[in-house]
Structures are given as structure tokens and as C-alpha cells.
Amino acid sequence: MKTVDSHDEILGAQARLWSCSFGQMISMCVKCAVQLGVPDAIHKHGGGGGAVSLTALLSSLQIPPSKTEPFRCIMRILTHHAGFFNPEPPAAGSDQNDDDDEEWYSLNASSRLLLSPSDDKAAVRHTPSVLFFFHPLMQEPWAFLDRWLRDDSNRTPFEIAHGTASFWDYLKSRDPSGELMSGFYECMINDSKLVGEVVVSRCKDMFDGVTSLVDVGGGTGTMAAAVAKAFPGIQCTVLDLPHVVKDLEGEGNLGFVGGDMFVSIPSADAILLKWILHDWDEENCIKILKVCKEAISSPKGKLIIIDVVVDEKRLGERNFGEVQLCFDLFMMAFVNGKERTEKQWKRLFSAAGFSNYKISPVLGLRSVIEVFP
Ligand SMILES: C[S@@+](CC[C@H](N)C(=O)[O-])C[C@H]1O[C@@H](n2cnc3c(N)ncnc32)[C@H](O)[C@@H]1O
Ligand SMILES: COc1cc(-c2oc3cc(O)cc(O)c3c(=O)c2O)cc(OC)c1OC
């Protein structure tokens, strides 16, 4: 067995170690760009092709001359390493582009997600998710991974860090300002805007013959509202914990009900579970799935799950594989949940008495899973 590595192998290993150690620095640069409003400034001042020079950006953000170099450094990391901005200058021949030393930045799909919430209610923004993710209450649990692994109980790092019963209990009764609760539901709303649009356009057939749908754990109703709008013939109900839906009012074919999905779910042709089962361990998932099965009113009814299906073969892939692995740990660390492979999903469905399922990988790193009684 080889015990000595070559100098090149050690130098490569050292670079990998540094790259991992610097991961947090890169995410802090993303947070800083959001806090400074860099994407908004590029959006506002971008000339031809949407490009803004470093000089114009410094002036628009009122960064003092003494901080030109640190700001340039952060912009370079975000552009060349993290891929948040495109480095292209304006088109050749443009009178904006006569300084060869100038650096230029334009928005791309990733940085457009980081624009401030807009008047256009349909616009998808991840700005609140970034700020929520970096909230100290969400960051502190990561310092407890070693304590968590040595602790022979089912307490999560979130519970160890904050000495509370669960993430859901914290949102309900340990968050007096409501800051964590509103940050969390803003994340869910923004995600559901995108997922709602994709599902109603790519999965139309899935709603054929469906006259009623309950979105279980549907939060503040963004996903159900997308279904209700696209399919006026479907009566949509959002079931969530009473404190989540207490001030929400339905309209037309959309309604809200407070309740507990472990106890009872209103009957419907289709039951939707978006980003629910990855919050729970096997025992709790089987409980939820059994209550869902009871609630499906017609033999032709179905359960629609929107969640990750981990593909073991793609785990090494940048973005999808890597993000699936990180979400797996994230769910374990915050809510005692996990992301599942197809084999693990299949086991859950059969333990809860479902007969068949169909996976459609139409949502990036997540899938739509139809499950039949
Ligand atoms: C990760 S969020 C998903 C929200 C929404 N489905 C979405 O994807 O935007 C999980 C949701 O489950 C709800 N929830 C947690 N425990 C519940 C329970 N026992 N009964 C009903 N809803 C519950 C939470 O309040 C929260 O809205
Ligand atoms: C890391 O970036 C994001 C995180 C979340 C997110 O999603 C969750 C989903 C759950 O089922 C339970 C949870 O506790 C959470 C979170 O705490 C949480 O932060 C959501 C995002 O956008 C919708 C994120 O941005 C990409």
C-alpha cells in the first residue's frame, strides 16, 4: 500500500484543503454583495448589454476609495469563482469601453435571483433565503456538529445550539419578534413561486381529472395559489399548523385550514406534499403518508410529492449532486430529516400501503413523485 505521496499530490491536496476552508469566505462574499445591494446597482446602472464598470459600481455603492481593492477582490471572487456575475465588457466599439484596465460586470441568472424583492409579485428572488441562511440562529448550529455526533440522542445541532424542542417549536413559540418565522416563510414563498410556475406548465397532465387538492404543510399558500390559478376547476386547500395560517384568508377556489398532518387531513382527489417529507425521519414519514392515504377520496386519486430523489450515481456532480448532499446534512442538522434515494422512497411508499409511484425529474435537483393508492 502506498504511504508516501508525491510533492505534486501533496500540493494538490493542500490546494483542496484551502479550497474547502475558504468555502465559508465565498459564501460570506455572497452575503456581503446582497447586503451592499451589488446586484441591484448593476441592474440599475447597467448600460449596453447590462454591463457596469468597477468604477461606476464603486461610485454607485459609495464605496470609499480606500476600499477599492478589497471591493475589486470580492467582485472577482464572486465573478470568477462563484459565477454570480459575468465579466464581459460592453460590446466592442462602444464609447463606454475605451479603458483596457477597467473591469466590467453584468448580471446572470444566479445574480438576478439576488435582486431586491420587486413590485412584480411573480419575480423569483432568493435574497431573503440568503439573509435567512446567514442569520446567527441558522449559523450557530454548524459549530455543534462534533457535539451532535457524540450525543447519543436524536437532538439536532439546531436543538443543541438553541436548547429548544425543535425547529418548528422554535418558530412557533421561541421567536418573539417573529424574525425567524418570517424569514423562513419568505424562503418558502420564493421557492414556491418558481416551483409553482414550473409544475403548472410542465406537469399539466398530472392534474387531469383532479377536482380537489390539499397542499399539506403548504405554508402561506403560494404553491396552492399557483395550482388554483392555473386550474380554476380544482378546489385547493392549504393545511398547515394553526399559527401559520391563522391570519390567512382564502379566495375563490383557494382556502386555508389549520391542523396537524399527523392527525387528520381533509379529503381530496390529490394530496400535495412539497418539501415536507425531507423534514422527517422514516417513522414520522410513514405516519404522515398513512394519514395522506386515508385522505385520498377517490380510487383514481393520488399523492404528489415534491422533494429530492438522491441519485447515487450523480453525487459527484457539481451543483446538483453536491447540493443534494448538502441539503441532506442541512435537513438532519435542523429538523431531523433527510434526503432520500429512490430505493428509500419506495420503501416508505410500500410501508404506508401505496401500490405504485412515478418519478419525474422536472425540477432541477428536485423531482415530482406521483404516488398511487
Ligand atoms: C419546509 S416547509 C414547506 C412549506 C411549503 N410546502 C413549501 O414548500 O413552500 C414545511 C411546512 O410544514 C409545516 N408543518 C410542520 N409540522 C406540521 C404539522 N404537524 N402539520 C401541518 N403542517 C406542518 C410547517 O409549518 C411548514 O409550513
Ligand atoms: C440554503 O439556502 C436555502 C435554504 C432553504 C431552507 O429550506 C428548508 C427546507 C426545509 O424543508 C426545512 C428547513 O428548515 C429549511 C430551511 O431552514 C432553509 O433555510 C430554502 C432556500 O430557498 C428556498 C434556500 O435558498 C436556496
Side-chain angles (χ1 to χ4, degrees):
M1 194 181 57
K2 184 177 148 188
T3 52
V4 179
D5 296 314
S6 72
H7 280 149
D8 279 343
E9 282 170 324
I10 298 171
L11 289 167
Q14 195 184 35
R16 169 142 291 275
L17 178 63
W18 283 332
S19 161
C20 287
S21 310
F22 289 154
Q24 196 201 11
M25 204 168 78
I26 289 151
S27 57
M28 286 300 165
C29 290
V30 177
K31 178 191 179 200
C32 168
V34 169
Q35 287 172 318
L36 292 177
V38 175
D40 285 337
I42 298 178
H43 181 62
K44 188 167 163 200
H45 299 289
V52 177
S53 67
L54 178 70
T55 311
L57 211 44
L58 286 160
S59 144
S60 139
L61 296 170
Q62 296 178 312
I63 306 285
S66 60
K67 293 299 184 316
T68 297
E69 281 313 307
F71 181 76
R72 184 207 303 271
C73 182
I74 288 175
M75 287 305 292
R76 284 181 161 178
I77 287 176
L78 288 171
T79 302
H80 300 284
H81 180 94
F84 272 89
F85 304 109
N86 292 342
E88 293 111 35
S94 152
D95 57 359
Q96 281 185 292
N97 189 17
D98 47 12
D99 179 355
D100 285 349
D101 291 334
E102 187 61 284
E103 288 178 22
W104 295 85
Y105 307 101
S106 58
L107 297 181
N108 58 24
S110 302
S111 38
R112 273 191 283 277
L113 285 179
L114 301 181
L115 290 168
S116 290
S118 86
D119 295 340
D120 173 5
K121 286 206 164 66
V124 177
R125 299 286 188 255
H126 267 306
T127 323
S129 313
V130 170
L131 297 176
F132 175 70
F133 189 70
F134 287 107
H135 191 290
L137 283 164
M138 297 297 288
Q139 286 296 307
E140 276 160 33
W142 298 114
F144 289 83
L145 290 186
D146 57 334
R147 283 250 300 261
W148 173 48
L149 292 176
R150 289 184 196 283
D151 178 22
D152 190 18
S153 78
N154 63 359
R155 287 195 318 158
T156 61
F158 181 87
E159 290 159 23
I160 295 172
H162 303 305
T164 176
S166 74
F167 180 75
W168 307 118
D169 285 345
Y170 195 102
L171 293 187
K172 182 180 164 199
S173 45
R174 295 274 308 267
D175 178 31
S177 65
E179 197 187 0
L180 202 65
M181 171 113 163
S182 62
F184 178 72
Y185 284 103
E186 259 192 276
C187 293
M188 299 303 128
I189 289 168
N190 279 296
D191 183 63
S192 294
K193 273 186 200 165
L194 176 60
V195 170
E197 258 179 50
V198 178
V199 166
V200 300
S201 73
R202 291 194 182 159
C203 309
K204 285 195 184 75
D205 297 354
M206 187 167 79
F207 298 97
D208 281 353
V210 171
T211 61
S212 55
L213 173 143
V214 178
D215 185 2
V216 174
T220 52
T222 308
M223 181 72 203
V227 177
K229 187 172 171 207
F231 305 102
I234 302 183
Q235 180 58 45
C236 297
T237 306
V238 176
L239 170 86
D240 208 297
L241 294 166
H243 67 275
V244 176
V245 295
K246 71 177 187 318
D247 297 325
L248 301 172
E249 272 186 30
E251 201 188 343
N253 61 333
L254 176 66
F256 290 88
V257 173
D260 182 345
M261 64 191 170
F262 288 97
V263 178
S264 164
I265 294 171
S267 279
D269 293 340
I271 304 291
L272 174 63
L273 292 170
K274 172 180 173 285
W275 246 6
I276 299 301
L277 296 174
H278 81 162
D279 290 337
W280 302 95
D281 62 15
E282 315 308 286
E283 196 186 331
N284 281 304
C285 281
I286 293 169
K287 280 188 197 160
I288 298 168
L289 286 169
K290 284 185 171 166
V291 184
C292 289
K293 189 161 179 278
E294 288 271 296
I296 296 174
S297 49
S298 120
K300 285 193 179 156
K302 64 173 95 165
L303 184 61
I304 300 169
I305 295 173
I306 296 177
D307 238 318
V308 164
V309 177
V310 175
D311 183 347
E312 306 268 14
K313 289 189 237 73
R314 296 182 62 187
L315 283 183
E317 270 177 41
R318 268 207 93 187
N319 286 334
F320 283 15
E322 137 195 325
V323 176
Q324 288 189 339
L325 283 174
C326 290
F327 256 117
D328 194 19
L329 181 61
F330 190 35
M331 290 308 118
M332 289 182 200
F334 281 78
V335 288
N336 240 332
K338 64 190 284 193
E339 305 299 353
R340 297 181 165 85
T341 59
E342 179 172 352
K343 207 161 142 194
Q344 290 169 322
W345 281 116
K346 192 173 172 181
R347 228 179 281 139
L348 277 184
F349 301 150
S350 92
F354 284 90
S355 66
N356 206 353
Y357 67 93
K358 178 182 154 202
I359 297 177
S360 310
V362 291
L363 284 170
L365 58 97
R366 282 171 286 179
S367 291
V368 173
I369 317 173
E370 291 167 82
V371 195
F372 307 99

